[in-house]
Amino acid sequence: MTKIGTWNIRGLNDPLKQKEICSFIRVNHLSLFGIVEAKIRPSNLSSVTTRCFPVNWQYTHNAGMSAGP
């Protein structure tokens, strides 16, 4: 069975929050996971995804998009 999860989390630049995400994915045996409305600094994107997601996972993001003018 495929398990899917999502989390609207604040402060994902914080390593403790990244650890929470990693633990949540592992404990719930998720196959697909979405992080909603996270404001991750572009310079932190690579390290955040490395800390949050299992090694064999792929990810996509919209870090280059902006709602501002």
Side-chain angles (χ1 to χ4, degrees):
M1 176 190 325
T2 301
K3 290 179 125 183
I4 299 171
T6 186
W7 193 340
N8 184 351
I9 189 166
R10 293 182 54 142
L12 198 52
N13 288 298
D14 180 350
L16 292 175
K17 296 287 182 138
Q18 297 165 17
K19 189 173 181 179
E20 283 184 64
I21 292 288
C22 183
S23 177
F24 183 79
I25 291 170
R26 187 181 63 253
V27 167
N28 291 290
H29 307 286
L30 300 179
S31 300
L32 179 68
F33 186 70
I35 297 175
V36 183
E37 293 187 279
K39 293 179 176 73
I40 301 170
R41 286 186 225 98
S43 60
N44 286 350
L45 184 61
S46 179
S47 63
V48 168
T49 56
T50 299
R51 289 185 191 119
C52 289
F53 302 126
V55 174
N56 60 342
W57 276 32
Q58 296 178 354
Y59 67 92
T60 187
H61 62 84
N62 66 345
M65 304 303 290
S66 174

